[in-house]
Amino acid sequence: MNPAADRAARLLRWYPAAWRARYGEEFTELLIADISEQPRSAARTRDVVRGAIVARLAEAGLAGPPVRATAAAPDAGGLQIRASLVSLGCAAAVFGGFGAALWSQLTIGWQWSASASTTATVATVVTSATMLAFLALAVVAALPVLCAIAVTIARQRRKRHVVPAIVLIAATTVLFAGGRHFGNGWPGTGGHRGLVPAGLAAFEWATSLSVNAYWVHPRALAAFPGPELAWMAVSPLALACAVIAAATLVRRTELPPRLLAFEARLATAACAAMAVFLAGCSCWVATGGQRSVFHAGLIDVAGVAIMALALAVARQAACTARLRLGFAGH
Amino acid sequence: MPHEKTASTGEQGDGGQSLAGFGRYAGPATLILSSLADGTKHGYALTKDIESFAGVRISPGTLYEALARLESQGMIAAVESDDRRRPYRLTAAGAAALRAHLDAQRRVADVGLRRLAGNWGTA
């Protein structure tokens, strides 16, 4: 391989696989010609890297124009909308994971003592209401999609659907069983000021047990019982497996346009709930909580930052999905 | 004759398509469509043609971002070829969008030139 072809091949690797499959050959030819004329060009490298990032964002449903369906790709528009919804789902899962960890601290505090701080009280009420709304929206969004996937599996029985479905069921079972089991050790148990059902709060606490500051304090972490340590390692892995499997299934299943439009509307509502939840958390963290059971630490600051990022991604995905739905006339 | 081509390929002459949503790619998209109005061209031929009539060299990354957008909007279409350098052609929708965009630009240019002539004299 000549040096120009070698350099063109290296630049091409920045682009996602689907883009390379479509434009790779012709783009490489153009790059080789360009490199032959201008052997060294930092501007060209920057231009290619920026283009590749845009292509990757477009593939993830976070940027780019709506795609017109063609005879060769009749579901191109639907695929793009599903990509946006998948990105939104992944961002919502990250938001939900960190949100649950933060919210469970507030509910524990509420179980044991009435807050003397108005901020903590408002934050607890706001986060509890929006977390419940967020969970309800997640259930309403997931049910019709799961039904459509189940119908597809029943009709087609293809490995590309069955394998991620099995992973999703297994990972969800692990999360649910573990959450129920370790929820029995919830620090709120025995308190008597429950704002939300204690079982739900305990489940949220257990499933988000891995989000804690003990990871940077190995000696304190080692003091945890073995099964809880194992759960702290297994639960995020199970959540990641469940999210990846669900994302794979949605990407591979053709969903009716009306269902996509319904999901996009729910996405907008979910983003609003996430924003209110984040505002509640931010108020609590910004005031530092109290030096009591409502105390907010560095892990909570990091959690709020990650949730803000996840919300930005979710909002971008929802906007892109709406843009594409509008274009498709759904 | 674009309309004859439309009839034979089954493309829709979509007058509603425009370059307004292209944002920062509207410039490269206009140059590409203008170049393809003259006939099919592959990526390298496009950069050379654009350089000759506009004095602008479009970088490979920007060129293919714009090409991908134009193709996804149905304004250009790839032509089957055995060559690794795939040529592209203008579609009826692309021709309509280019015409509308250039007409709008001409109106702006006409107003600007008229006002310049009225207030600053002719060069």
Side-chain angles (χ1 to χ4, degrees):
Chain A
M1 195 180 271
N2 67 53
D6 195 33
R7 207 176 300 162
R10 275 204 305 274
L11 286 171
L12 183 65
R13 281 200 286 269
W14 283 90
Y15 285 84
W19 195 96
R20 292 200 303 267
R22 168 64 187 83
Y23 297 105
E25 271 196 353
E26 50 187 293
F27 187 61
T28 303
E29 289 298 311
L30 178 62
L31 278 175
I32 290 171
D34 200 69
I35 291 167
S36 302
E37 288 178 11
Q38 288 180 286
R40 296 277 168 200
S41 169
R44 179 181 53 230
T45 304
R46 277 199 304 274
D47 178 63
V48 169
V49 170
R50 190 189 46 72
I53 290 169
V54 171
R56 286 187 182 277
L57 287 174
E59 195 181 63
L62 295 172
V67 170
R68 171 175 292 216
T70 61
D75 188 37
L79 193 66
Q80 271 206 327
I81 297 165
R82 294 205 299 279
S84 296
L85 294 176
V86 162
S87 292
L88 189 140
C90 292
V94 170
F95 188 97
F98 282 90
L102 227 141
W103 177 64
S104 65
Q105 292 179 64
L106 289 167
T107 52
I108 291 166
W110 197 285
Q111 281 281 322
W112 286 105
S113 73
S115 168
S117 150
T118 311
T119 312
T121 306
V122 170
T124 310
V125 172
V126 167
T127 53
S128 297
T130 44
M131 179 56 86
L132 292 176
F134 184 69
L135 290 174
L137 282 169
V139 171
V140 173
L143 277 178
V145 174
L146 288 174
C147 286
I149 289 169
V151 168
T152 305
I153 290 172
R155 282 185 186 155
Q156 299 179 358
R157 294 179 189 282
R158 288 165 68 184
K159 204 173 165 185
R160 66 198 300 270
H161 290 117
V162 174
V163 172
I166 291 171
V167 173
L168 176 61
I169 292 167
T172 311
T173 305
V174 167
L175 269 178
F176 186 77
R180 291 287 294 164
H181 173 76
F182 288 99
N184 291 331
W186 188 50
T189 305
H192 50 81
R193 294 174 184 272
L195 182 67
V196 291
L200 177 65
F203 182 77
E204 291 270 357
W205 171 82
T207 48
S208 61
L209 191 60
S210 59
V211 183
N212 62 57
Y214 291 110
W215 295 108
V216 290
H217 302 288
R219 198 172 290 174
L221 190 66
F224 274 83
E228 280 193 17
L229 277 176
W231 176 243
M232 282 187 212
V234 167
S235 57
L237 278 178
L239 180 63
C241 286
V243 171
I244 291 168
T248 307
L249 276 170
V250 172
R251 273 184 176 272
R252 291 179 181 176
T253 308
E254 210 168 306
L255 299 173
R258 282 181 64 181
L259 178 54
L260 291 174
F262 174 69
E263 295 291 330
R265 276 188 219 108
L266 288 181
T268 307
C271 285
M274 287 156 79
V276 176
F277 184 90
L278 186 61
C281 291
S282 302
C283 281
W284 174 57
V285 170
T287 55
Q290 300 171 334
R291 296 288 159 193
S292 67
V293 285
F294 287 101
H295 172 62
L298 268 181
I299 185 77
D300 301 309
V301 176
V304 165
I306 291 168
M307 284 193 291
L309 188 64
L311 175 58
V313 172
R315 192 180 167 281
Q316 180 62 28
C319 289
T320 309
R322 275 204 309 277
L323 175 76
R324 288 167 175 176
L325 277 163
F327 178 82
H330 294 145
Chain B
M1 297 294 284
H3 291 290
E4 286 174 13
K5 188 184 266 183
T6 303
S8 64
T9 55
E11 288 164 8
Q12 294 178 348
D14 186 353
Q17 287 283 90
S18 81
L19 298 178
F22 273 65
R24 62 184 291 270
Y25 299 101
T30 307
L31 294 172
I32 290 167
L33 293 177
S34 297
S35 179
L36 291 180
D38 193 31
T40 64
K41 288 179 192 70
H42 53 66
Y44 184 69
L46 273 168
T47 55
K48 287 293 159 193
D49 185 45
I50 289 167
E51 202 171 353
S52 70
F53 74 76
V56 176
R57 186 181 175 92
I58 300 186
S59 299
T62 302
L63 178 77
Y64 268 83
E65 269 180 78
L67 280 177
R69 280 175 179 250
L70 288 167
E71 192 183 22
S72 72
Q73 303 276 288
M75 293 188 187
I76 62 169
V79 177
E80 283 303 315
S81 167
D82 293 333
D83 193 350
R84 283 165 65 90
R85 300 179 300 179
R86 195 193 318 243
Y88 290 89
R89 67 175 174 80
L90 189 65
T91 65
L98 178 63
R99 192 182 304 279
H101 189 69
L102 294 180
D103 277 345
Q105 285 194 330
R106 184 164 55 193
R107 281 195 295 277
V108 173
D110 285 347
V111 169
L113 287 170
R114 200 166 52 243
R115 289 179 181 177
L116 270 177
N119 296 306
W120 297 83
T122 50

